[in-house]
Amino acid sequence: MSKKFYITTPIYYVNARPHIGHAYTTIACDAVARRQRMLGADTHFLTGTDEHGQKIERAAQAAGKTPQEFTDEVSAQFRALWDRMGITYDDYIRTTEERHKKRVQELFRRIRDNGHIYRGTYTGQYCVFDELYVDAVGPGAPCSECGRPTETVKEENYFFKLSTFADRLFNLYTQHPDFIRPETRRNEVMSFVRGGLRDLSISRSTFSWGIPVPDDPKHVIYVWLDALANYITAIGYGSSHKGAQEAFQRYWPADLQMIGKEIVRFHCVYWPAFLMAAELPMPKSIMAHGWLLFEESKMSKSRGNIVRTETILDVLGADALRYFLLREVVFGQDGSFSFDALVQRYNADLANGLGNLASRTLTMITRYFRGEVPYPSAAVSQKAGDSAIAESARKVIAECNSLFEQYQFSRALEMAWGLVAAVDKYIVENEPWALGEKQDEESRSRLATILYTSAEALRIVTALAHPVIPDATAKIWAQLGLGDIRKFPLSDLKWGQLELGAKLGNVEPVFPRADKSAIERMQKMEEQHRSTPSATETPSAAAQPVAPLVAPQTAAVPAVKPTTPPPDGKISIEDFAKVELRVGQVKAAEKVKGADKLLRLEVDLGTEVRQVVAGIAESYSPELLIGRKVVIVANLAPRKLRGLESNGMIVAASPEGGKAVLAGFLEDVPVGTRLK
Ligand code: ME8
């Protein structure tokens, strides 16, 4: 039986629609899976969505939907995007599926029967954003991972005896250095475990959107235990069906679990401990990559600095995004995304690089040899440059393979494109177009050698690059007259396999050059999306003001008949509804010249960015405010302060004689949401 290769992405939260951060991990896994298939491995590639827990329950509420409706919708969006991008996943797991729920309960039972679970009371802080128990003290204390305010939880819970696994985990890390990659992450995890482990609460009882604990349905299973288990439930763990059991035996343990660096602790500490408790084998390797940054911070929905994948697909196509992400970002480190850099790479490496090499080589073979791969000339008329290309191609094959094995995509691609550059130079130096004008035998024979050498190098780069840019390479392969590239056994790749006399397919350009307007178009599409997101596109209502449920919109207020004024100076609900309070996010902040107390802020309200002048300079330095979510009185008449127009007011507590404290939220709230 052939070697197997089981690879997984994290399962993504469905609180917001996918962005290119999610696409990054999925693309990297897809490239690895495609390469494994080309190497002949029985490959199983799993992705899916993480749909339970408090964060999702709240996002559904904010969108005015039931959790099931909401998760159905967003999970389908992730899947549709992967399909549009041609991601070759073999299975797509949703944690709300029956198969998963039953099998997670089975896992819980097994861990409990093995004596690793007990009942206790948890009192402490919880970060809903990370779905993480945090060792912090006091209501609102910041989360150790994301800095957001935590919530105090006091619950009867089931606990997992994590503390008893510290030694076994430590042995795992030392005996299997590849278990956590790269090295920096491994060191972090080892020092975390060395610091001592506390038992972990693995159930919640104050909300119900989760999988019930077996025999005690008042509790739901902690969302991270539920989510991590997907890697085994999807391939059949805990099932009584023979086929599922066989699949589990075949594919587990996973060969590669790819994650982003922020979820290392869950995957490298909790996950192996759960598996040990259930007496299951460990995954072979967990690879944590860095973050995609946009405008200098981690791209994430809550920061509002995301780039949608669809924009890039519309303008440049999936191959462009795949190539850019894997070439530009050193895998394992953080990397910045910008439209400028994307288009620059696309033009330099794809349009002018591989695309140009393919079209000039294949066009000349068509023109000078009636579209048939020419025979390289006899050794006598060979030149040193010809064999130098062959030699460099041999080196590239060996090194590219070894770099891909280590998931060093960017260096592997750099190597392969080194060959593209070498062949370009070789063509320029040998001027085949000049030889093409001559009919003497020697010129024809040189021309044949040059074009054969170029086409063979092109074939090699195309095969090596296929896992990364599958669409374009499939086209070039067919243009070379070689049929279906997916069937090519990559482990056999070597110099000299191009079939002599083979007929080329139809030669067409694969990467049209992108001009400046491509950048503007993509930027415009993103801006438009930010200002007018459609309901289905932002199911979490992330950038949308939520329609008031109790009070009508301000504009409708005057139409409401005034009721008798309530006694004791109280105001009616209609009076309150006149005040339009909204969540804003500070985009820019600076001191106002000549005014010690004033700051000039630019605040994003989801639909517009407002200038607000606020008297909080003595309490907050401008840098502290950027990115912070604040409450704005949005319908206050404009007024001028120190010559600057202020459009709205920021809500803050102003204790007697103390400093102003801005109103904020313990949970994450979408920009533009109305307070009522
Ligand atoms: O953490 N740069 O889901 P999630 C790079 N449901 N990668 C990014 C990224 C960015 N800016 N943003 C997201 C969860 N990612 C859990 C996982 S697994 C059992 C449960 C990618 O929707 C990266 O892979 O927050 C990261 O780890 C993952 O998406 C987080 O997705």
Side-chain angles (χ1 to χ4, degrees):
M1 217 188 229
S2 62
K3 179 180 156 259
K4 66 92 185 170
F5 194 88
Y6 178 33
I7 178 169
T8 64
T9 71
I11 48 169
Y12 305 111
Y13 282 130
V14 289
N15 63 319
R17 54 169 295 127
H19 56 72
I20 62 168
H22 303 113
Y24 180 47
T25 321
T26 311
I27 286 170
C29 287
D30 187 60
V32 174
R34 285 176 185 267
R35 189 170 169 279
Q36 286 296 331
R37 289 190 197 103
M38 282 178 95
L39 290 170
D42 166 12
T43 305
H44 192 76
F45 170 17
L46 174 71
T47 190
T49 42
D50 185 356
E51 306 188 8
H52 286 131
Q54 216 168 358
K55 163 156 143 168
I56 306 298
E57 191 181 63
R58 288 182 185 174
Q61 245 164 24
K65 300 195 170 142
T66 65
Q68 193 61 60
E69 275 167 5
F70 180 73
T71 54
D72 284 349
E73 206 170 293
V74 188
S75 179
Q77 288 174 346
F78 271 90
R79 193 168 182 157
L81 178 63
W82 305 149
D83 289 342
R84 177 171 176 205
M85 288 173 69
I87 300 294
T88 57
Y89 60 87
D90 295 289
D91 192 5
Y92 186 92
I93 179 113
R94 299 183 53 194
T95 54
T96 48
E97 280 174 70
E98 263 335 290
R99 62 166 171 161
H100 174 73
K101 292 198 247 179
K102 283 206 191 110
R103 297 172 191 179
V104 169
Q105 288 178 323
E106 196 47 47
L107 177 68
F108 192 99
R109 254 187 226 113
R110 173 125 176 227
I111 298 178
R112 189 177 58 192
D113 294 349
N114 286 349
H116 301 293
I117 292 178
Y118 62 94
R119 263 185 96 123
T121 308
Y122 178 83
T123 309
Q125 297 309 115
Y126 190 80
C127 171
V128 177
F129 183 81
D130 289 317
E131 297 282 14
L132 173 70
Y133 295 97
V134 179
D135 289 336
V137 185
C143 167
S144 52
E145 294 298 302
C146 67
R148 290 177 177 79
T150 52
E151 295 179 30
T152 307
V153 170
K154 186 170 190 314
E155 282 179 15
E156 272 281 297
N157 284 346
Y158 284 94
F159 280 80
F160 172 66
K161 293 184 188 167
L162 180 64
S163 58
T164 62
F165 287 90
D167 289 347
R168 286 179 65 186
L169 287 169
F170 211 78
N171 286 342
L172 169 69
Y173 309 144
T174 39
Q175 285 164 15
H176 300 278
D178 275 352
F179 178 72
I180 309 172
R181 289 196 269 186
E183 183 80 22
T184 43
R185 303 289 158 233
R186 180 164 167 262
N187 294 339
E188 273 169 26
V189 171
M190 287 175 80
S191 80
F192 177 78
V193 173
R194 210 180 279 125
L197 294 176
R198 291 223 249 147
D199 289 349
L200 178 72
S201 162
I202 48 163
S203 71
R204 300 289 311 267
S205 55
T206 48
F207 66 93
S208 59
W209 183 240
I211 301 174
V213 165
D215 315 316
D216 196 353
K218 282 202 304 294
H219 296 253
V220 292
I221 296 174
Y222 173 43
V223 64
W224 270 100
L225 172 54
D226 165 350
L228 288 161
N230 91 87
Y231 302 130
I232 54 175
T233 61
I235 50 167
Y237 171 81
S239 166
S240 50
H241 292 286
K242 194 157 171 282
Q245 286 171 352
E246 279 169 5
F248 181 65
Q249 290 306 326
R250 169 122 187 91
Y251 290 117
W252 191 255
D255 294 85
L256 179 64
Q257 303 212 257
M258 195 91 89
I259 57 172
K261 67 177 182 183
E262 78 291 354
I263 51 177
V264 163
R265 192 196 307 175
F266 300 103
H267 283 80
C268 301
V269 181
Y270 299 172
W271 178 224
F274 293 148
L275 290 168
M276 285 171 186
E279 297 169 315
L280 291 168
M282 296 300 116
K284 291 190 193 143
S285 192
I286 297 174
M287 168 91 205
H289 62 66
W291 285 339
L292 275 192
L293 312 176
F294 189 56
E295 292 160 352
E296 269 136 58
S297 55
K298 182 187 176 220
M299 193 178 293
S300 75
K301 191 83 195 179
S302 59
R303 281 193 185 82
N305 65 341
I306 62 146
V307 174
R308 292 171 325 123
T309 312
E310 293 82 347
T311 296
I312 299 163
L313 300 184
D314 286 349
V315 176
L316 295 175
D319 277 357
L321 177 63
R322 293 172 70 103
Y323 180 81
F324 174 79
L325 292 178
L326 295 185
R327 171 65 185 87
E328 190 84 6
V329 183
V330 175
F331 207 66
Q333 297 177 15
D334 292 350
S336 288
F337 177 86
S338 78
F339 289 115
D340 284 28
L342 169 69
V343 170
Q344 210 176 335
R345 266 273 171 226
Y346 172 86
N347 278 335
D349 292 9
L350 298 180
N352 297 342
L354 182 64
N356 188 40
L357 174 64
S359 76
R360 80 206 300 207
T361 305
L362 300 176
T363 308
M364 283 192 279
I365 293 179
T366 306
R367 183 176 309 153
Y368 303 131
F369 293 96
R370 298 179 318 278
E372 281 169 20
V373 175
Y375 286 60
S377 54
V380 274
S381 61
Q382 293 243 341
K383 294 201 173 164
D386 311 333
S387 48
I389 293 289
E391 204 34 57
S392 122
R394 283 189 193 102
K395 229 172 98 197
V396 165
I397 295 172
E399 292 194 19
C400 244
N401 278 333
S402 122
L403 290 165
F404 266 119
E405 287 297 303
Q406 299 157 48
Y407 311 119
Q408 297 201 26
F409 307 109
S410 118
R411 285 189 51 210
L413 293 169
E414 193 182 0
M415 281 296 300
W417 260 254
L419 183 58
V420 173
V423 182
D424 266 343
K425 191 158 166 267
Y426 166 81
I427 293 178
V428 170
E429 283 170 1
N430 284 284
E431 298 186 337
W433 43 87
L435 295 168
E437 301 306 309
K438 303 180 183 160
Q439 291 308 321
D440 63 285
E441 203 172 313
E442 201 188 324
S443 301
R444 290 291 295 167
S445 145
R446 269 312 291 152
L447 181 61
T449 301
I450 296 161
L451 292 182
Y452 171 84
T453 304
S454 309
E456 177 58 353
L458 170 67
R459 183 187 70 92
I460 284 168
V461 175
T462 304
L464 291 172
H466 176 66
V468 177
I469 44 173
D471 292 349
T473 48
K475 285 182 195 149
I476 297 174
W477 198 258
Q479 293 179 21
L480 277 163
L482 298 169
D484 185 350
I485 193 169
R486 289 169 307 174
K487 301 214 172 102
F488 178 74
L490 193 59
S491 43
D492 291 352
L493 183 67
K494 49 180 176 290
W495 182 266
Q497 290 166 320
L498 188 59
E499 210 183 307
L500 304 178
K503 189 94 187 108
L504 298 190
N506 271 349
V507 178
E508 279 162 14
V510 283
F511 292 115
R513 239 190 101 78
D515 59 21
K516 259 222 141 80
S517 74
I519 301 177
E520 284 155 23
R521 261 165 51 221
M522 288 189 282
Q523 280 167 341
K524 210 168 256 163
M525 282 160 85
E526 286 300 279
E527 269 160 34
Q528 264 169 7
H529 180 82
R530 268 179 221 138
S531 56
T532 53
S534 77
T536 49
E537 280 190 316
T538 51
S540 66
Q544 277 192 312
V546 175
L549 296 176
V550 193
Q553 298 272 16
T554 0
V557 169
V560 177
K561 257 196 166 173
T563 47
T564 331
D568 312 330
K570 294 203 164 85
I571 61 166
S572 68
I573 186 87
E574 291 83 5
D575 287 335
F576 175 67
K578 287 180 194 161
V579 183
E580 192 189 334
L581 295 170
R582 288 209 185 266
V583 179
Q585 187 169 34
V586 179
K587 291 283 170 200
E590 62 181 12
K591 294 203 156 143
V592 174
K593 275 202 191 108
D596 294 345
K597 293 192 178 159
L598 294 182
L599 291 182
R600 188 190 76 83
L601 307 175
E602 285 173 28
V603 182
D604 183 2
L605 287 184
T607 46
E608 60 179 311
V609 176
R610 297 264 188 101
Q611 172 169 287
V612 177
V613 182
I616 53 171
E618 290 175 327
S619 313
Y620 294 92
S621 61
E623 320 78 76
L624 266 183
L625 290 172
I626 294 171
R628 181 159 175 158
K629 292 202 174 151
V630 291
V631 178
I632 293 271
V633 182
N635 60 342
L636 204 62
R639 57 189 182 136
K640 281 213 162 162
L641 292 161
R642 298 274 169 156
L644 294 169
E645 187 168 287
S646 183
N647 285 293
M649 191 182 93
I650 296 210
V651 179
S654 308
E656 262 317 290
K659 292 188 167 178
V661 179
L662 290 175
F665 300 90
L666 288 181
E667 293 98 44
D668 198 40
V669 192
V671 168
T673 308
R674 185 159 180 190
L675 282 77
K676 50 196 173 18

